[in-house]
Structures are given as structure tokens and as C-alpha cells.
Amino acid sequence: MRNEEIEDLVERLAVELGRGLSLEDLDGVLLAYSANQAQADRVRVNFLLSKRVPADVSAWQLSHGIAAAVRPVVVPANTELGMLGRVCVPLLVRGFRVGYLWVQQDAQEQSATAILAQLPQVRNSLDLLATLLLDSNTAESSQRRAREQQFLAAADGDRHAIEVVSEWPEIRQRGPWQAATVYAAPGADLDKLDHRGVKPDHRAAGDPLAAVLVHRSAGLQATVGMDDALFSAGLGSHAVMLFRATQGRTAHAAVLKRYEGELAKRTGVPASRVVMGIGEPFGSLRALPAAYRESRIAAQAAAVDPVLGTILDVRGAGVYEVLAGGQADPEDSVYFRLIRARGDSGELFPVLELLYDNDGAVAGIADRLHLHRSTVYSRIARVRGIIGADPLAGRVRLELHLALKAARWAARPRI
């Protein structure tokens, strides 16, 4: 980490603003602070001593929306915490959140107006501070970038890269392995206003370079300290991970949960759904490309079909693995077209899909859709009248079930 440059810049900013500053990472760990300040409240003193934001102070700060903010946020004083008012300056590079700079108010100041008026004058220094933090990020180090590129080349089938990766100490003689793909669907609230009436900054979602960095950093932080997670790499749409092959999925679930949290911290926008697809175990790194493809298929299936769960092995992807092998168009089914052309297709398709997925258990389908059983039977009868055939008969059922899954597969994320 470029500690000296960061600390010097924080000191210069403190002198220029004439205020006490502290710099913390996304987990509330102290990175740098200004040495001189006439008035330091209890929270600042404790923070400088412990090097970490206490839970109660963190809760107060987060309650004012700093995790999703893209502009300075005023955090009012809290006498119970022994805390003077502050302004939180989110530090971002291309929409990628790298830390927070805190500017403390003086005890006699009634508002943060003066601080907010000063900040535009130091905009260039704040941008430089964000850049230095980004450069110090482990995921952004040149060595880490080179290793991730080598790993991704191996996953894409580069023979030389496969040979190199197979000799890495963290991977060598630790097989059999499994490849995993982690995909995060965009947050459903991207167009909603935050607590200040401002849209969140989701440039990281639209900026390819920022998106890669988000997935690289989230993947790295999610797998740190996890014995079964051997390596991770990020791409613009997803992260690729290599695990030791295990029967259980405890480690995978822990990594997925941490990954989701890391994404939210860095983008300020929680993903609507995060899924992990897992390929078949393999004992030779030469099989990594095939396993990576399997994991992508499983992740895509989990993304389009929530019934499959958030962690899906490729052998559980069912018909989606078959669909991934070629082109399948639901419109090729005349039965599907006849139903789709109806205005009530939105009522009929869910009943049919659940009916086919659950072996015709009408009671369970009625419960899932919050319908009376007679309504389910009525909708099946409507389908029979529309297509002129029994939707539960073997060939008709197979055709419609495949068409419904093909329609879902057509909406899969391209990863």
C-alpha cells in the first residue's frame, strides 16, 4: 500500500481545510489521519486508538446512507456517542468505491455548510486520494492482475497458461478441483432515488473497466481465508473461482454471501440476486476449460430459474445444459405460440411450468401461486381448449415444457 503518499496527502488536505480528517476503508478500518486538531471528540479519539470504527458509530453513520452515497453526506452530531457532526466524503474511481474521508465539524459550528463549501476547492486532491487508494488495493496490484489474466487464459483453454497455473503452490497437488462462476443480477433499485432524492451512481455497472475491478475485488475479498477457495478472477459480468472439490457446499455458501456483501460495498447498490454455478469435479487442470463452461451454464440456469436455488451444480441444471448446446426457440412450438398469443398467457404459463416441474402436484402448485385448486384445474382446461390437445399428454407435455424452459434460457445473462 502506498501509505506514505496517502498519509502525506491527508495531512495536506487537513492543512488546506483547517480541519481534522480521518480516512477509512470500506470495512471501517483506519488508513490515515491528520495529526493536529484543536478539537477531537470522543469518537475520533477512540477511532485513532482502536483503528476501527465501533459498531454503534458505524450503525449511526450507515443510517445516513453513506454506503450508497456518491456525494458528501452530512452526519449530524450524536451526544450519546460523544460525536460531533461530520461530513463523509465517499471516494470513488469510475464509480468504484474505495474508501471514505471524514471531515469533523468544530464544536461551535451549528451546521456543516462551511465544510460543504470548502470541498469543491480540494476536488483534485480528493480525486488523487481516491486514485492512490485504488492503486493500493490488493486486487489492483500488477502482480495480482497478471495472475488473474493467466488464470483466465487457462480457463479459456490456453495450454501454456494451464501448465503455468498447474504449478502454482496454492493449486498444485490440491486437486481434484471444481470451477465456479459467480454472477450478480443488477440491483432492482438502480433507478430509484436514495434518501436525499438522488439516484445512486451506478457507473461501475456501465463502465467495463470499473465492472471488471468490482468483480475482481469482490472475488478476492470473498475468498480470502477460505481454505477450499483456491483462486478467483474477475471479468466484466462475473467472477471465476477455483475450489477444491468437496461434497458439501458450506464453503461455497460462505463465499457467495461474502461476495454479495462486497459487491454492495463497492457499488453502493445491492444486487437483486447473486448466484453461483459449479462445474463437475476434475483431476487434471487440462479439464479446467470444460469445467468453466459447465459452471457458466449452471450460473446462467440459476439466474433465469430461481426455483433452482442460488448455488447450482451443473448436473442440477437439467434441460438448460441441453439448451446450452444449441439454438432452441420457444416460438418453434405451435402450442407455445397459441398460448402466448392469448391475453391471459401470463396466467397460464406459470401454471403449466409449475405443473411440469412438480410432476402434476396440483395442491402444491395452488399453494405456490396462492390459488384455489379449482382455479388451477380451470386454467389447465383453458390451455386444453386453446391448443386443442391435452397439455398433460406425453408429447404435448414434453414440447411445452421444453418451450417454456427455452423461453427462460433466452433471457439468460451472457457470461
Side-chain angles (χ1 to χ4, degrees), residues 105-128:
Q105 292 176 220
D106 292 334
Q108 66 272 19
E109 286 184 303
Q110 298 300 311
S111 74
T113 303
I115 296 176
L116 295 175
Q118 289 178 292
L119 291 177
Q121 303 167 21
V122 294
R123 183 70 263 172
N124 290 340
S125 295
L126 293 173
D127 289 342
L128 175 58

Side-chain angles (χ1 to χ4, degrees), residues 183-189 215 259-261 263-264 267-275:
Y183 171 78
D189 57 349
H215 289 292
Y259 188 90
E260 185 172 4
L263 277 184
T267 64
V269 182
S272 61
R273 192 158 184 266
V274 183
V275 298

Side-chain angles (χ1 to χ4, degrees), residues 68-145:
V70 297
R71 297 175 179 82
V73 176
V74 176
V75 177
N78 186 316
T79 53
E80 291 184 7
L81 296 174
M83 179 177 176
L84 294 173
R86 282 165 168 67
V87 172
C88 172
V89 183
L91 299 173
L92 300 99
V93 179
R94 303 175 72 120
F96 178 76
R97 196 173 303 269
V98 293
Y100 302 104
L101 182 71
W102 290 90
V103 187
Q104 184 180 301
Q105 292 176 220
D106 292 334
Q108 66 272 19
E109 286 184 303
Q110 298 300 311
S111 74
T113 303
I115 296 176
L116 295 175
Q118 289 178 292
L119 291 177
Q121 303 167 21
V122 294
R123 183 70 263 172
N124 290 340
S125 295
L126 293 173
D127 289 342
L128 175 58
L129 181 59
T131 301
L132 290 174
L133 282 177
L134 178 63
D135 290 343
S136 71
N137 186 297
T138 306
E140 187 58 8
S141 69
S142 57
Q143 181 183 12
R144 176 71 189 188
R145 282 201 305 269

Side-chain angles (χ1 to χ4, degrees), residues 4-74:
E4 289 188 10
E5 289 180 84
I6 291 172
E7 290 170 359
D8 289 345
L9 183 52
V10 169
E11 284 288 2
R12 292 202 304 272
L13 277 166
V15 171
E16 194 167 348
L17 295 172
R19 298 177 181 278
L21 305 180
S22 59
L23 178 68
E24 67 183 57
D25 68 11
L26 300 178
D27 294 312
V29 175
L30 179 67
L31 299 177
Y33 62 94
S34 58
N36 298 317
Q37 182 177 2
Q39 297 172 325
D41 60 17
R42 189 169 78 236
V43 166
R44 177 175 169 82
V45 172
N46 290 339
F47 181 38
L48 300 188
L49 291 174
S50 66
K51 312 298 183 186
R52 181 179 288 276
V53 178
D56 52 356
V57 175
S58 177
W60 175 250
Q61 294 173 167
L62 290 171
S63 71
H64 291 86
I66 67 169
V70 297
R71 297 175 179 82
V73 176
V74 176

